[in-house]
Amino acid sequence: MIRRPHHLPAWALLGALLGASGTAWSRPAEAHRAPALCTSSREPALAARLSQDIATVLKGRKGTVSVAVHDPARGLRCRLADTLAYDSASIAKVLIMQAVLGRAEELGRAPTRLEARRLKAMITRSDNTAATELWEGLSRARLNRVLREAGAQGTVLGHRNYWGLTRTTARDQLALLAAVSRRSEALSLMGQVVRSQAWGVTAGAPRRVKVHLKNGWLPRATHAWRVHSVGIVRPTAAPTGTGTGTDTGTGTASPAVDYRIVLLSHDNPTMRYGVRTLESVAHVVHRRLSGGAAARGYTPPENISEIPDGSAPAEVPGRGDPGGPAWPEASGPAAIRGAAPPSRTARARRRAPRRRRSMPSG
């Protein structure tokens, strides 16, 4: 993994990564050289064009961007800084969902009504209270097992209830999406994300496909805005759990559309800026892999709020840099609920003996 200086533009990161692999790239003006970000065992020409497209849209963009795409039918993969670690923000909720659904399956039952209600709130509206309640009911062993079984080897869980500070990579998120794509309940939830949060990987998707997604958006004391978007693209007419093809209007399904896309970023000056960067990449991916005229353009700036997703505080007291050492693990009654630990004053109050209340006279 190549480490880059703070606030190096996305195109410069791209150049550094390609330079390390021997690809000619010295300055932004050379973006037309079509670096091999994407490869395909079946359609190498398509992979080369998509590589060029991604390089072009990232040219001159600020921030740090990681891209991971997998189209199994075409044997196509795209990788850009896909092992770089990011604070996950609200995309950690995909892991929580996978763990809850997996536990229910192991127990031979459907999710309980309470679990189902919390899952829906957590995924479709990005509800943090629901996420914390589900997280608290999962052991770290189970969460780590879900990651291990998916092949997500570089993800480190957030400590205590800092699920939004789970450190993850684009490569791991792509692996997790592969596991999630086999659960119809998960796809159904990710297909119902409220419109105000349905930006990112949906941009440029034609009407004939459905994008099942989850986003994360969080500014912190370092690396400015994290803006992430992950999604599974399937035909709208195909059964949710199959992804067999696209309805052509004649009742015949044609194989093609079934791919996964992960876009992670930080060092964005604003949320709007980060969303535009990710949507620029999403546009070219959909154009090459889904074809046809795009049904959805860029999300209008006025529809993008600069309010964080609330998945973690701006800075964890006593922790310093978000990528630094985590808080020590807590258990039992001492475990802390919610996004932030209690203040020193609150802890002191809990330790202090209670004063006996005087009974009213008469």
Side-chain angles (χ1 to χ4, degrees):
M1 176 171 57
I2 296 175
R3 298 187 181 276
R4 69 180 200 79
H6 191 55
H7 294 307
L8 191 66
W11 61 261
L13 172 60
L14 184 63
L17 290 164
L18 296 169
S21 61
T23 304
W25 186 289
S26 61
R27 55 187 181 275
E30 297 181 17
H32 64 278
R33 294 194 180 185
L37 303 175
C38 303
T39 59
S40 172
S41 58
R42 298 172 190 172
E43 299 185 45
L46 172 66
R49 289 193 294 270
L50 185 52
S51 293
Q52 174 71 77
D53 292 343
I54 294 173
T56 299
V57 298
L58 288 179
K59 177 185 175 182
R61 297 298 292 178
K62 299 175 183 177
T64 304
V65 182
S66 291
V67 178
V69 178
H70 185 208
D71 185 332
R74 293 184 170 96
L76 180 142
R77 286 185 179 273
C78 298
R79 300 181 179 94
L80 171 62
D82 65 339
T83 60
L84 192 64
Y86 296 80
D87 292 329
S88 61
S90 279
I91 62 170
K93 293 166 182 172
V94 175
L95 168 61
I96 297 172
M97 173 182 64
Q98 179 72 355
V100 171
L101 293 176
R103 179 178 61 190
E105 183 179 54
E106 285 180 15
L107 295 173
R109 61 168 175 79
T112 66
R113 280 190 292 181
L114 182 59
E115 287 173 339
R117 186 166 68 245
R118 288 171 174 170
L119 284 169
K120 185 171 184 178
M122 177 181 72
I123 297 298
T124 66
R125 296 187 285 106
S126 207
D127 186 280
N128 293 324
T129 299
T132 299
E133 288 167 342
L134 290 172
W135 173 273
E136 288 178 331
L138 296 164
S139 69
R140 297 181 72 83
R142 177 173 292 278
L143 288 161
N144 279 316
R145 192 178 81 188
V146 169
L147 291 169
R148 184 173 63 252
E149 290 176 349
Q153 300 176 351
T155 296
V156 180
L157 298 175
H159 283 251
R160 292 181 172 173
N161 283 339
Y162 291 99
W163 46 264
L165 295 186
T166 292
R167 299 282 287 174
T168 194
T169 68
R171 178 177 297 182
D172 279 7
Q173 287 300 304
L174 196 66
L176 185 59
L177 287 182
V180 167
S181 68
R182 295 189 284 271
R183 295 190 185 280
S184 58
E185 306 100 316
L187 289 175
S188 177
L189 289 170
M190 294 173 70
Q192 300 176 58
V193 170
V194 294
R195 188 172 181 179
S196 62
Q197 297 178 15
W199 43 263
V201 292
T202 55
R207 289 186 179 88
R208 63 190 180 89
V209 305
K210 175 73 173 178
V211 183
H212 310 265
L213 80 153
K214 186 69 193 83
N215 294 332
W217 57 104
L218 179 71
R220 304 215 64 227
T222 60
H223 292 301
W225 275 91
R226 293 107 172 98
V227 182
H228 309 319
S229 189
V230 305
I232 299 164
V233 183
R234 293 277 175 86
T236 54
T240 309
T242 62
T244 55
T246 302
D247 190 341
T248 61
T250 62
T252 304
S254 61
V257 183
D258 183 0
Y259 55 92
R260 298 177 283 277
I261 176 171
V262 173
L263 305 174
L264 308 183
S265 69
H266 60 208
D267 297 325
N268 296 291
T270 64
M271 179 178 168
R272 291 184 180 93
Y273 188 94
V275 170
R276 177 55 64 93
T277 297
L278 300 193
E279 291 192 340
S280 296
V281 178
H283 260 272
V284 299
V285 170
H286 291 308
R287 184 176 67 207
R288 294 298 181 188
L289 302 187
S290 290
R296 178 169 179 151
Y298 292 103
T299 303
E302 61 272 18
N303 291 351
I304 302 171
S305 169
E306 295 292 323
I307 300 174
D309 65 14
S311 57
E315 185 174 2
V316 179
R319 186 181 171 198
D321 186 273
W327 279 72
E329 197 66 33
S331 60
I336 298 172
R337 177 185 179 86
S343 65
R344 292 180 182 177
T345 304
R347 291 197 298 268
R349 283 176 184 157
R350 281 205 301 266
R351 292 193 199 103
R354 289 187 179 181
R355 281 191 257 175
R356 184 180 246 174
R357 289 187 181 180
S358 57
M359 298 295 291
S361 58

